Short mmCIF file of all heavy atoms in Angstrom, two decimals:
data_model
loop_
_atom_site.label_atom_id
_atom_site.label_comp_id
_atom_site.label_asym_id
_atom_site.label_seq_id
_atom_site.Cartn_x
_atom_site.Cartn_y
_atom_site.Cartn_z
N ASP X 1 5.88 -18.58 -12.38
CA ASP X 1 5.13 -17.35 -12.19
C ASP X 1 5.06 -16.98 -10.71
O ASP X 1 4.62 -15.88 -10.35
CB ASP X 1 3.71 -17.49 -12.74
CG ASP X 1 2.96 -18.67 -12.11
OD1 ASP X 1 3.60 -19.70 -11.81
OD2 ASP X 1 1.73 -18.57 -11.94
N GLY X 2 5.51 -17.90 -9.85
CA GLY X 2 5.42 -17.68 -8.41
C GLY X 2 6.30 -16.56 -7.91
O GLY X 2 5.93 -15.86 -6.95
N ARG X 3 7.44 -16.35 -8.54
CA ARG X 3 8.36 -15.31 -8.06
C ARG X 3 7.72 -13.93 -8.13
O ARG X 3 7.71 -13.18 -7.16
CB ARG X 3 9.66 -15.36 -8.87
CG ARG X 3 10.75 -14.43 -8.36
CD ARG X 3 12.02 -14.57 -9.17
NE ARG X 3 12.62 -15.89 -9.03
CZ ARG X 3 12.56 -16.85 -9.96
NH1 ARG X 3 11.93 -16.64 -11.09
NH2 ARG X 3 13.13 -18.02 -9.74
N GLU X 4 7.16 -13.59 -9.29
CA GLU X 4 6.54 -12.27 -9.43
C GLU X 4 5.29 -12.16 -8.57
O GLU X 4 5.05 -11.11 -7.94
CB GLU X 4 6.19 -12.02 -10.91
CG GLU X 4 5.80 -10.56 -11.22
CD GLU X 4 4.34 -10.26 -10.89
OE1 GLU X 4 3.50 -11.18 -11.01
OE2 GLU X 4 4.05 -9.12 -10.49
N ASN X 5 4.49 -13.22 -8.52
CA ASN X 5 3.29 -13.18 -7.68
C ASN X 5 3.65 -12.93 -6.23
O ASN X 5 3.00 -12.13 -5.53
CB ASN X 5 2.51 -14.50 -7.81
CG ASN X 5 1.79 -14.64 -9.14
OD1 ASN X 5 1.68 -13.67 -9.90
ND2 ASN X 5 1.29 -15.82 -9.42
N LEU X 6 4.67 -13.61 -5.74
CA LEU X 6 5.09 -13.47 -4.35
C LEU X 6 5.60 -12.06 -4.06
O LEU X 6 5.17 -11.41 -3.11
CB LEU X 6 6.17 -14.50 -4.03
CG LEU X 6 6.88 -14.36 -2.68
CD1 LEU X 6 5.89 -14.57 -1.55
CD2 LEU X 6 8.04 -15.34 -2.58
N ILE X 7 6.53 -11.59 -4.88
CA ILE X 7 7.15 -10.29 -4.63
C ILE X 7 6.11 -9.18 -4.69
O ILE X 7 6.07 -8.28 -3.83
CB ILE X 7 8.29 -10.03 -5.64
CG1 ILE X 7 9.45 -11.01 -5.35
CG2 ILE X 7 8.78 -8.59 -5.57
CD1 ILE X 7 10.54 -10.98 -6.40
N THR X 8 5.23 -9.22 -5.69
CA THR X 8 4.25 -8.15 -5.81
C THR X 8 3.20 -8.22 -4.71
O THR X 8 2.74 -7.18 -4.21
CB THR X 8 3.57 -8.20 -7.20
OG1 THR X 8 4.58 -8.15 -8.20
CG2 THR X 8 2.63 -7.02 -7.38
N ALA X 9 2.81 -9.42 -4.31
CA ALA X 9 1.86 -9.55 -3.21
C ALA X 9 2.43 -8.95 -1.93
O ALA X 9 1.71 -8.26 -1.17
CB ALA X 9 1.51 -11.02 -2.98
N ILE X 10 3.70 -9.17 -1.68
CA ILE X 10 4.35 -8.58 -0.51
C ILE X 10 4.37 -7.06 -0.63
O ILE X 10 4.07 -6.33 0.33
CB ILE X 10 5.78 -9.12 -0.34
CG1 ILE X 10 5.74 -10.61 0.02
CG2 ILE X 10 6.54 -8.34 0.73
CD1 ILE X 10 7.09 -11.30 -0.03
N GLU X 11 4.68 -6.57 -1.80
CA GLU X 11 4.72 -5.12 -2.01
C GLU X 11 3.34 -4.50 -1.78
O GLU X 11 3.21 -3.43 -1.15
CB GLU X 11 5.22 -4.81 -3.41
CG GLU X 11 5.44 -3.32 -3.67
CD GLU X 11 6.14 -3.04 -4.98
OE1 GLU X 11 6.47 -4.00 -5.71
OE2 GLU X 11 6.37 -1.86 -5.27
N ILE X 12 2.29 -5.15 -2.26
CA ILE X 12 0.94 -4.64 -2.07
C ILE X 12 0.54 -4.68 -0.59
O ILE X 12 -0.07 -3.75 -0.07
CB ILE X 12 -0.06 -5.43 -2.93
CG1 ILE X 12 0.17 -5.13 -4.41
CG2 ILE X 12 -1.50 -5.13 -2.54
CD1 ILE X 12 -0.57 -6.05 -5.36
N ALA X 13 0.89 -5.77 0.08
CA ALA X 13 0.56 -5.89 1.51
C ALA X 13 1.27 -4.82 2.34
O ALA X 13 0.76 -4.42 3.40
CB ALA X 13 0.93 -7.28 2.02
N ALA X 14 2.42 -4.37 1.88
CA ALA X 14 3.19 -3.37 2.61
C ALA X 14 2.85 -1.95 2.22
O ALA X 14 3.27 -1.00 2.89
CB ALA X 14 4.68 -3.62 2.37
N ALA X 15 2.09 -1.78 1.14
CA ALA X 15 1.88 -0.44 0.58
C ALA X 15 1.02 0.43 1.49
O ALA X 15 -0.08 0.05 1.90
CB ALA X 15 1.23 -0.56 -0.80
N ARG X 16 1.53 1.61 1.79
CA ARG X 16 0.81 2.58 2.60
C ARG X 16 0.90 3.96 1.96
O ARG X 16 1.83 4.26 1.24
CB ARG X 16 1.38 2.65 4.02
CG ARG X 16 1.10 1.41 4.87
CD ARG X 16 1.65 1.55 6.27
NE ARG X 16 3.12 1.48 6.30
CZ ARG X 16 3.87 1.77 7.37
NH1 ARG X 16 3.27 2.18 8.48
NH2 ARG X 16 5.18 1.66 7.33
N GLU X 17 -0.10 4.76 2.26
CA GLU X 17 -0.11 6.13 1.78
C GLU X 17 -0.63 7.01 2.91
O GLU X 17 -1.72 6.75 3.44
CB GLU X 17 -1.01 6.25 0.55
CG GLU X 17 -0.93 7.59 -0.15
CD GLU X 17 -1.69 7.57 -1.46
OE1 GLU X 17 -2.94 7.49 -1.41
OE2 GLU X 17 -1.05 7.62 -2.53
N ALA X 18 0.14 8.00 3.28
CA ALA X 18 -0.20 8.87 4.40
C ALA X 18 -0.46 8.06 5.67
O ALA X 18 -1.35 8.37 6.47
CB ALA X 18 -1.41 9.72 4.06
N GLY X 19 0.33 7.00 5.83
CA GLY X 19 0.22 6.18 7.03
C GLY X 19 -0.90 5.16 7.03
O GLY X 19 -1.07 4.43 8.01
N ARG X 20 -1.68 5.10 5.94
CA ARG X 20 -2.79 4.16 5.88
C ARG X 20 -2.55 3.11 4.80
O ARG X 20 -1.96 3.41 3.76
CB ARG X 20 -4.10 4.90 5.56
CG ARG X 20 -4.49 5.94 6.59
CD ARG X 20 -5.76 6.65 6.14
NE ARG X 20 -6.93 5.77 6.19
CZ ARG X 20 -8.08 6.07 5.61
NH1 ARG X 20 -8.21 7.18 4.89
NH2 ARG X 20 -9.12 5.24 5.71
N ALA X 21 -3.03 1.91 5.04
CA ALA X 21 -2.90 0.85 4.04
C ALA X 21 -3.66 1.24 2.78
O ALA X 21 -4.77 1.77 2.84
CB ALA X 21 -3.46 -0.46 4.59
N ILE X 22 -3.06 0.96 1.63
CA ILE X 22 -3.72 1.30 0.37
C ILE X 22 -4.85 0.33 0.05
O ILE X 22 -5.89 0.72 -0.49
CB ILE X 22 -2.69 1.34 -0.78
CG1 ILE X 22 -1.70 2.51 -0.55
CG2 ILE X 22 -3.38 1.51 -2.13
CD1 ILE X 22 -0.63 2.62 -1.61
N VAL X 23 -4.65 -0.95 0.40
CA VAL X 23 -5.69 -1.96 0.09
C VAL X 23 -6.07 -2.69 1.38
O VAL X 23 -5.65 -3.84 1.61
CB VAL X 23 -5.20 -2.97 -0.97
CG1 VAL X 23 -6.37 -3.85 -1.44
CG2 VAL X 23 -4.56 -2.27 -2.16
N PRO X 24 -6.88 -2.08 2.24
CA PRO X 24 -7.21 -2.68 3.54
C PRO X 24 -8.38 -3.66 3.46
O PRO X 24 -9.39 -3.51 4.16
CB PRO X 24 -7.56 -1.45 4.38
CG PRO X 24 -8.19 -0.51 3.40
CD PRO X 24 -7.45 -0.72 2.10
N GLU X 25 -8.25 -4.65 2.61
CA GLU X 25 -9.28 -5.68 2.53
C GLU X 25 -8.64 -7.00 2.13
O GLU X 25 -7.45 -7.06 1.84
CB GLU X 25 -10.37 -5.28 1.53
CG GLU X 25 -9.93 -5.05 0.10
CD GLU X 25 -11.13 -4.86 -0.84
OE1 GLU X 25 -11.91 -5.83 -1.00
OE2 GLU X 25 -11.29 -3.76 -1.40
N VAL X 26 -9.42 -8.07 2.14
CA VAL X 26 -8.92 -9.38 1.72
C VAL X 26 -8.93 -9.40 0.19
O VAL X 26 -9.97 -9.22 -0.44
CB VAL X 26 -9.77 -10.53 2.28
CG1 VAL X 26 -9.15 -11.87 1.86
CG2 VAL X 26 -9.84 -10.45 3.80
N SER X 27 -7.76 -9.62 -0.40
CA SER X 27 -7.63 -9.57 -1.86
C SER X 27 -6.90 -10.81 -2.36
O SER X 27 -6.39 -11.61 -1.57
CB SER X 27 -6.88 -8.30 -2.28
OG SER X 27 -5.59 -8.26 -1.69
N LEU X 28 -6.87 -10.93 -3.67
CA LEU X 28 -6.18 -12.06 -4.31
C LEU X 28 -5.36 -11.50 -5.46
O LEU X 28 -5.91 -10.85 -6.35
CB LEU X 28 -7.20 -13.09 -4.80
CG LEU X 28 -6.69 -14.45 -5.29
CD1 LEU X 28 -7.78 -15.51 -5.17
CD2 LEU X 28 -6.22 -14.37 -6.75
N TYR X 29 -4.05 -11.74 -5.42
CA TYR X 29 -3.17 -11.25 -6.48
C TYR X 29 -2.68 -12.41 -7.34
O TYR X 29 -2.20 -13.42 -6.82
CB TYR X 29 -1.96 -10.52 -5.91
CG TYR X 29 -1.04 -10.07 -7.02
CD1 TYR X 29 -1.38 -8.98 -7.82
CD2 TYR X 29 0.13 -10.75 -7.32
CE1 TYR X 29 -0.58 -8.58 -8.89
CE2 TYR X 29 0.94 -10.36 -8.37
CZ TYR X 29 0.57 -9.28 -9.15
OH TYR X 29 1.36 -8.90 -10.22
N PHE X 30 -2.82 -12.23 -8.67
CA PHE X 30 -2.36 -13.28 -9.58
C PHE X 30 -2.11 -12.67 -10.95
O PHE X 30 -2.97 -11.97 -11.50
CB PHE X 30 -3.40 -14.40 -9.70
CG PHE X 30 -2.83 -15.78 -9.68
CD1 PHE X 30 -2.60 -16.45 -8.50
CD2 PHE X 30 -2.50 -16.41 -10.87
CE1 PHE X 30 -2.06 -17.72 -8.48
CE2 PHE X 30 -1.96 -17.69 -10.88
CZ PHE X 30 -1.73 -18.35 -9.67
N GLN X 31 -0.94 -12.93 -11.48
CA GLN X 31 -0.58 -12.58 -12.85
C GLN X 31 -0.97 -11.13 -13.20
O GLN X 31 -1.78 -10.86 -14.06
CB GLN X 31 -1.23 -13.55 -13.83
CG GLN X 31 -0.73 -13.47 -15.27
CD GLN X 31 0.72 -13.91 -15.41
OE1 GLN X 31 1.29 -14.51 -14.50
NE2 GLN X 31 1.33 -13.64 -16.56
N ASN X 32 -0.36 -10.21 -12.45
CA ASN X 32 -0.45 -8.78 -12.76
C ASN X 32 -1.77 -8.12 -12.42
O ASN X 32 -2.00 -6.97 -12.81
CB ASN X 32 -0.12 -8.51 -14.24
CG ASN X 32 1.25 -9.03 -14.63
OD1 ASN X 32 2.18 -9.00 -13.84
ND2 ASN X 32 1.36 -9.53 -15.85
N ARG X 33 -2.63 -8.80 -11.68
CA ARG X 33 -3.89 -8.17 -11.32
C ARG X 33 -4.25 -8.51 -9.87
O ARG X 33 -4.08 -9.65 -9.42
CB ARG X 33 -5.04 -8.60 -12.24
CG ARG X 33 -4.76 -8.37 -13.71
CD ARG X 33 -6.01 -8.43 -14.55
NE ARG X 33 -6.72 -7.15 -14.52
CZ ARG X 33 -7.95 -6.98 -15.03
NH1 ARG X 33 -8.60 -8.00 -15.54
NH2 ARG X 33 -8.52 -5.79 -15.00
N LEU X 34 -4.74 -7.48 -9.19
CA LEU X 34 -5.20 -7.65 -7.81
C LEU X 34 -6.72 -7.56 -7.80
O LEU X 34 -7.30 -6.60 -8.32
CB LEU X 34 -4.62 -6.56 -6.91
CG LEU X 34 -5.03 -6.63 -5.43
CD1 LEU X 34 -4.32 -7.79 -4.74
CD2 LEU X 34 -4.72 -5.31 -4.72
N PHE X 35 -7.37 -8.57 -7.20
CA PHE X 35 -8.82 -8.64 -7.17
C PHE X 35 -9.35 -8.63 -5.74
O PHE X 35 -8.65 -9.05 -4.81
CB PHE X 35 -9.33 -9.93 -7.83
CG PHE X 35 -8.87 -10.13 -9.24
CD1 PHE X 35 -7.97 -11.15 -9.56
CD2 PHE X 35 -9.35 -9.34 -10.27
CE1 PHE X 35 -7.56 -11.36 -10.87
CE2 PHE X 35 -8.95 -9.54 -11.58
CZ PHE X 35 -8.05 -10.56 -11.88
N ARG X 36 -10.58 -8.18 -5.58
CA ARG X 36 -11.28 -8.43 -4.31
C ARG X 36 -11.47 -9.94 -4.21
O ARG X 36 -12.03 -10.57 -5.12
CB ARG X 36 -12.62 -7.71 -4.28
CG ARG X 36 -13.45 -8.03 -3.03
CD ARG X 36 -14.63 -7.08 -2.88
NE ARG X 36 -14.15 -5.72 -2.66
CZ ARG X 36 -14.86 -4.63 -2.90
NH1 ARG X 36 -16.09 -4.74 -3.38
NH2 ARG X 36 -14.34 -3.44 -2.66
N ALA X 37 -11.06 -10.51 -3.11
CA ALA X 37 -11.01 -11.98 -3.00
C ALA X 37 -12.37 -12.62 -3.22
O ALA X 37 -12.49 -13.62 -3.94
CB ALA X 37 -10.45 -12.38 -1.65
N ASN X 38 -13.40 -12.06 -2.60
CA ASN X 38 -14.71 -12.71 -2.69
C ASN X 38 -15.44 -12.44 -4.00
O ASN X 38 -16.61 -12.77 -4.14
CB ASN X 38 -15.59 -12.34 -1.48
CG ASN X 38 -15.79 -10.84 -1.33
OD1 ASN X 38 -15.88 -10.11 -2.31
ND2 ASN X 38 -15.87 -10.39 -0.08
N ARG X 39 -14.73 -11.86 -4.97
CA ARG X 39 -15.28 -11.70 -6.31
C ARG X 39 -14.58 -12.62 -7.31
O ARG X 39 -14.89 -12.59 -8.51
CB ARG X 39 -15.11 -10.25 -6.77
CG ARG X 39 -16.00 -9.25 -6.03
CD ARG X 39 -17.43 -9.36 -6.47
NE ARG X 39 -18.24 -8.24 -6.02
CZ ARG X 39 -19.33 -7.81 -6.64
NH1 ARG X 39 -19.74 -8.41 -7.74
NH2 ARG X 39 -20.02 -6.80 -6.18
N THR X 40 -13.65 -13.42 -6.83
CA THR X 40 -12.82 -14.20 -7.76
C THR X 40 -13.32 -15.61 -8.00
O THR X 40 -14.07 -16.18 -7.21
CB THR X 40 -11.37 -14.29 -7.24
OG1 THR X 40 -11.36 -15.01 -6.00
CG2 THR X 40 -10.76 -12.92 -7.07
N LYS X 41 -12.82 -16.14 -9.11
CA LYS X 41 -13.08 -17.52 -9.47
C LYS X 41 -11.87 -18.02 -10.25
O LYS X 41 -11.34 -17.29 -11.10
CB LYS X 41 -14.34 -17.61 -10.34
CG LYS X 41 -14.71 -19.00 -10.80
CD LYS X 41 -15.96 -18.99 -11.64
CE LYS X 41 -17.18 -18.70 -10.82
NZ LYS X 41 -17.55 -19.82 -9.90
N LYS X 42 -11.41 -19.22 -9.96
CA LYS X 42 -10.36 -19.81 -10.79
C LYS X 42 -11.00 -20.24 -12.09
O LYS X 42 -11.87 -21.10 -12.11
CB LYS X 42 -9.70 -21.00 -10.09
CG LYS X 42 -8.53 -21.56 -10.91
CD LYS X 42 -7.80 -22.70 -10.22
CE LYS X 42 -6.65 -23.19 -11.11
NZ LYS X 42 -5.91 -24.31 -10.52
N HIS X 43 -10.56 -19.62 -13.20
CA HIS X 43 -11.22 -19.88 -14.47
C HIS X 43 -10.35 -20.65 -15.46
O HIS X 43 -10.80 -20.96 -16.56
CB HIS X 43 -11.68 -18.56 -15.10
CG HIS X 43 -10.58 -17.74 -15.69
ND1 HIS X 43 -10.66 -17.19 -16.95
CD2 HIS X 43 -9.37 -17.38 -15.21
CE1 HIS X 43 -9.55 -16.52 -17.21
NE2 HIS X 43 -8.77 -16.62 -16.17
N SER X 44 -9.10 -20.96 -15.08
CA SER X 44 -8.25 -21.73 -15.98
C SER X 44 -7.33 -22.64 -15.18
O SER X 44 -6.72 -22.22 -14.18
CB SER X 44 -7.41 -20.81 -16.86
OG SER X 44 -6.52 -21.57 -17.67
N ALA X 45 -7.22 -23.88 -15.65
CA ALA X 45 -6.31 -24.84 -15.01
C ALA X 45 -4.89 -24.74 -15.58
O ALA X 45 -3.96 -25.30 -15.01
CB ALA X 45 -6.84 -26.26 -15.19
#
């Protein structure tokens, strides 16, 4: 699952609109969803 997580995380980090970052905060991307980092919890091993 690392390939998709890596590629999409890079795409999100690079994403800009009208010269501004689309997600200018600390986030966590995993398995098709991007979360605010400080709202996350690892819920499955």
Side-chain angles (χ1 to χ4, degrees):
D1 57 325
R3 186 178 295 104
E4 192 278 328
N5 287 349
L6 171 64
I7 292 172
T8 305
I10 293 170
E11 187 171 359
I12 291 169
R16 290 182 288 170
E17 189 172 68
R20 299 178 69 194
I22 294 179
V23 190
E25 60 172 295
V26 183
S27 59
L28 189 156
Y29 178 74
F30 222 87
Q31 191 67 14
N32 303 325
R33 305 196 83 189
L34 180 73
F35 303 111
R36 175 168 296 158
N38 57 35
R39 290 286 193 153
T40 64
K41 179 180 289 290
K42 184 177 180 181
H43 75 132
S44 176

